[in-house]
Amino acid sequence: MVRRMRGVFGLTLAVVLVGSAGSAVAAPEAKLKQFRVPTANSQPREITTGSDGSQWFIEGTEFTGAPAKIARITPSGVVTEFSPGAADGCNDCILTDIAQGPGGVLYVASNDPTLIRFDVTTAAFGSPVPMPDTSALGGHLATSGADVWVTDFNNDVVWRYDIALDQFTSFTASDPSDVAVDAAGNALFSEPDTNSLGRIDAVTGAVTRTPTTDGSTTVAPRAVAVATDGQIWFTARFTPQAVWRLDPTTGSVALLPRDNVGPAGIAASPDGTVWFTQETKGNLANITNAGVVTEGKVVKGSGPFGVTVDANAQPWYTMMSADRIGTLQ
């Protein structure tokens, strides 16, 4: 389904800079644009930047009954939806994550034990990849080089799919949530139940863990992102709510409290900063290594969730409760 967005919601972004001491100063204004998703009650969730320059996102949840779809939104706001069928690896499935892989192929995880593939060039679904365990329940995924990493909390593992060899390898984890990949191809995954971040060495397969605590406060990590300088950022969605940064060289963890805002998705920007959604508050925010936070315009009840950043360092995010996609320009 293709629809040109007629109702683009142009909002001036009231942005403030918040230093470590909590003081705020005026910042240059930016523009928040919102685009409606054609399918009603679709609840768009995760989003990724495609190799074609567009943003791709998933739709449909168990709460609304909306059908599972993947969708493309172009830089100008044109939305096209694609519906996977049983032959594509979705048997009345619920999509859980999407990521751009090599060769122009998107990989999509769901609650079915398969990886869905979609070619952005031909705009067609490819042959699905069956997972080796029929009870596998795909959570989140990340891609790097020739690998696709998938969290599977149903089996307490993180899967590594070698695309060239068409082969899966499992690594033991405890209810893994999100996963990201660093520049060396190592996988970083969150374990909310153990209050730790796990790391899978891409060469040796060794698994190590770092407690998500700064010595006085401990949190359950959720979404994970790796910044351009190698720093690992993650959100803590539930009390105590915060955005954290882990230095992989020293193992030190720094905390930035974000009480009562609902930190959810997080994504690294090419400019070295990190963007994250604030689901409860209803906006998007940016953070630098210096701890400076730039908050975007609040859209109450919009439920910001997934976020990605394009090559021009512009963030795009899903507004799950409003059935919209937002971008800050």
Side-chain angles (χ1 to χ4, degrees):
M1 183 175 184
V2 181
R3 180 179 297 178
R4 180 78 182 190
M5 297 296 100
R6 296 177 56 192
V8 177
F9 301 82
L11 297 176
T12 299
L13 206 61
V15 183
V16 296
L17 299 184
V18 183
S20 57
S23 59
V25 296
E29 292 183 345
K31 204 73 169 179
L32 174 65
K33 292 185 177 180
Q34 301 175 60
F35 304 91
R36 287 194 183 277
V37 176
T39 300
N41 299 319
S42 59
Q43 291 200 347
R45 298 167 79 176
E46 303 296 346
I47 186 169
T48 190
T49 299
S51 58
D52 59 347
S54 296
Q55 314 308 311
W56 292 79
F57 58 95
I58 56 174
E59 305 176 27
T61 72
E62 65 271 34
F63 304 110
T64 65
K69 296 180 181 181
I70 69 169
R72 175 185 62 210
I73 180 167
T74 66
S76 61
V78 178
V79 175
T80 309
E81 298 177 311
F82 304 87
S83 301
D88 305 314
C90 179
N91 187 14
D92 293 325
C93 72
I94 298 169
L95 305 181
T96 56
D97 204 1
I98 184 170
Q100 180 66 66
V105 176
L106 290 165
Y107 285 82
V108 184
S110 75
N111 62 340
D112 280 349
T114 57
L115 289 179
I116 298 171
R117 292 194 283 198
F118 187 90
D119 191 312
V120 301
T121 302
T122 61
F125 288 96
S127 300
V129 182
M131 299 183 73
D133 191 323
T134 56
S135 66
L137 197 157
H140 292 276
L141 53 78
T143 59
S144 176
D147 293 322
V148 180
W149 299 85
V150 189
T151 60
D152 176 6
F153 61 84
N154 209 35
N155 291 292
D156 287 329
V157 299
V158 175
W159 295 98
R160 179 184 192 175
Y161 175 59
D162 186 308
I163 300 172
L165 298 178
D166 190 26
Q167 177 178 307
F168 282 90
T169 305
S170 65
F171 301 86
T172 301
S174 178
D175 284 339
S177 180
D178 197 15
V179 62
V181 184
D182 66 17
N186 305 305
L188 296 312
F189 61 95
S190 56
E191 286 188 343
D193 284 359
T194 65
N195 298 325
S196 63
L197 283 178
R199 177 184 181 274
I200 304 172
D201 189 287
V203 177
T204 67
V207 180
T208 55
R209 288 172 175 80
T210 301
T212 49
T213 179
D214 62 357
S216 59
T217 303
T218 300
V219 295
R222 293 288 173 175
V224 185
V226 182
T228 55
D229 63 356
Q231 300 285 306
I232 303 166
W233 293 80
F234 60 95
T235 58
R237 176 65 179 82
F238 302 104
T239 305
Q241 296 182 8
V243 174
W244 293 69
R245 183 183 68 218
L246 168 65
D247 186 326
T249 302
T250 65
S252 63
V253 179
L255 161 72
L256 176 74
R258 302 298 297 163
D259 295 336
N260 304 315
V261 299
I266 192 165
S269 172
D271 65 9
T273 65
V274 173
W275 290 90
F276 60 97
T277 54
Q278 301 190 133
E279 186 177 1
T280 304
K281 190 170 184 178
N283 65 346
L284 188 68
N286 176 274
I287 186 170
T288 70
N289 270 335
V292 178
V293 174
T294 307
E295 285 206 42
K297 175 73 175 182
V298 172
V299 182
K300 293 183 178 180
S302 59
F305 197 75
V307 59
T308 188
V309 186
D310 66 21
N312 296 318
Q314 292 182 343
W316 294 73
Y317 65 104
T318 60
M319 306 171 82
M320 188 169 64
S321 300
D323 295 331
R324 300 174 188 169
I325 303 298
T327 180
L328 176 60
Q329 298 179 349

